[in-house]
Amino acid sequence: MTEPLRISGTDLARSIKEDLKGRVGQLKTQGVPCGLGTILVGEDPGSLKYVEGKHKDCAEVGIESIRIDLPPNASQQEIIDAIEELNADSRCTGFIVQLPLPQNVDTLKVLEHVDPKKDADGMHPWNLGKLVLHTDHLPSTPLPCTPRGVIELLESAGIDFAGKDVCVLGRGITIGRTISLMLSLKGKDATVTTCHSQTVDVEDKIRHADIVIAAMGQAHFVKPAMLKDGAVTVDVGVSRVFVEDEGRWRICGDVDPACYNKVSAYTPNPGGVGPMTRAMLLKNVVEMAQRTLS
């Protein structure tokens, strides 16, 4: 069997950021602000690292960073007030509320206060509704970052979705539900099966798929015996696993690396979908700024 294609999200994200850098520079010459805002509640190490990474990305392409950090005991109203502050800030083209929020906060109610035109994650109910209503093309609204990143990553490798059977493992809104909508659009034309914890004989669903998108958060769930020869695997899941032999924690994806010997192409984890998600966030912000010119 020929060597499988390793589809690097790191390499493609770097190329995308170079393109965005030029577009941001052009916007600045036209007097159009381009800024990303973040709202972070508390000091969760994972969330803190993620937010810092986003602002580092902004610096690379020339996007202004606008950061609001709130204490762990911030009230729901204080978070909403921070959202309204960014809604009104002319420097802020788009922003995100870093999740998860404290347990005492109604996350959906809070997120509904985000101006849909400044929804950098593409996850506002209004924008998701536009995605549902469009069946023949993508709407000109911010798109969910992770599924958009997955699609651009696979298409960059010459992988065509038309007529392909795609098995999505996971039904979360971040990718499971949204990528099903995007891949079933006319022009993509995939047949998508979404699997979850109550799916009967999930291994059979995986085995019949041309493309498997794993977003379950279960370390190395997908094994070689589950895949048909020549399938494509996209590894979105992230789990922290303690490795006894090494005496330390490791980040693992949902796809067992042993699968790489059986597939035709795969996205590594890390270095696959993660960098693309961050790049798509920047792309959303730049496109939102460009829309103000039309």
Side-chain angles (χ1 to χ4, degrees):
M1 186 173 178
T2 58
E3 189 75 16
L5 175 63
R6 182 183 186 274
I7 311 173
S8 171
T10 302
D11 292 343
L12 182 57
R14 187 182 300 115
S15 174
I16 290 170
K17 286 192 283 188
E18 277 300 312
D19 173 68
L20 292 176
K21 186 175 181 179
R23 290 160 68 177
V24 170
Q26 182 64 31
L27 286 167
K28 287 181 178 179
T29 65
Q30 296 172 285
V32 179
C34 193
L36 172 68
T38 61
I39 298 174
L40 174 64
V41 182
E43 299 176 348
D44 174 74
S47 295
L48 189 61
K49 182 178 180 180
Y50 196 52
V51 167
E52 288 173 347
K54 289 173 181 176
H55 288 292
K56 180 182 177 182
D57 291 340
C58 285
E60 288 182 27
V61 301
I63 295 174
E64 182 178 358
S65 291
I66 306 157
R67 181 167 176 170
I68 298 178
D69 291 352
L70 299 174
N73 60 349
S75 68
Q76 181 165 305
Q77 188 56 51
E78 287 174 319
I79 301 171
I80 291 173
D81 289 344
I83 289 173
E84 297 297 356
E85 180 181 335
L86 292 181
N87 282 340
D89 191 338
S90 60
R91 300 173 302 150
C92 178
T93 311
F95 66 94
I96 61 121
V97 180
Q98 183 64 36
L99 302 179
L101 293 175
Q103 290 185 349
N104 63 315
V105 172
D106 185 335
T107 298
L108 292 180
K109 185 174 181 179
V110 166
L111 294 180
E112 286 176 357
H113 285 266
V114 175
D115 181 346
K117 294 181 180 179
K118 290 193 172 188
D119 170 30
D121 265 337
M123 301 297 287
H124 188 280
W126 192 85
N127 290 327
L128 289 175
K130 293 284 262 185
L131 184 59
V132 171
L133 290 171
H134 284 71
T135 60
D136 57 353
H137 65 278
L138 289 171
S140 58
T141 51
L143 297 169
C145 297
T146 302
R148 186 181 191 186
V150 167
I151 291 171
E152 290 205 16
L153 188 56
L154 294 185
E155 289 182 336
S156 75
I159 294 171
D160 184 14
F161 298 106
K164 299 290 178 62
D165 287 318
V166 179
C167 181
V168 179
L169 304 177
R171 55 182 167 184
I173 196 67
T174 302
I175 181 167
R177 295 188 185 190
T178 43
I179 199 165
S180 297
L181 291 169
M182 294 170 74
L183 287 179
S184 60
L185 284 170
K186 291 179 181 178
K188 303 301 180 189
D189 301 312
T191 300
V192 185
T193 300
T194 304
C195 298
H196 47 77
S197 59
Q198 300 303 308
T199 298
V200 177
D201 199 359
V202 66
E203 292 187 19
D204 183 64
K205 307 292 191 300
I206 297 171
R207 199 169 291 114
H208 283 87
D210 302 301
I211 302 171
V212 178
I213 300 173
M216 306 169 69
Q218 294 187 32
H220 297 173
F221 176 86
V222 179
K223 302 293 185 184
M226 299 179 184
L227 298 168
K228 72 178 182 180
D229 291 338
V232 175
T233 58
V234 180
D235 196 348
V236 186
V238 176
S239 302
R240 291 182 74 243
V241 177
F242 187 76
V243 182
E244 293 285 351
D245 293 345
E246 300 178 7
R248 65 185 180 117
W249 293 89
R250 276 191 174 275
I251 299 297
C252 295
D254 288 353
V255 179
D256 190 326
C259 294
Y260 301 162
N261 294 322
K262 193 173 186 179
V263 302
S264 60
Y266 68 94
T267 67
N269 192 342
V273 176
M276 287 300 295
T277 297
R278 284 166 54 174
M280 292 303 102
L281 179 70
L282 300 180
K283 196 167 188 177
N284 274 348
V285 172
V286 173
E287 288 176 347
M288 285 188 280
Q290 291 176 320
R291 287 188 196 109
T292 65
L293 295 171
S294 59

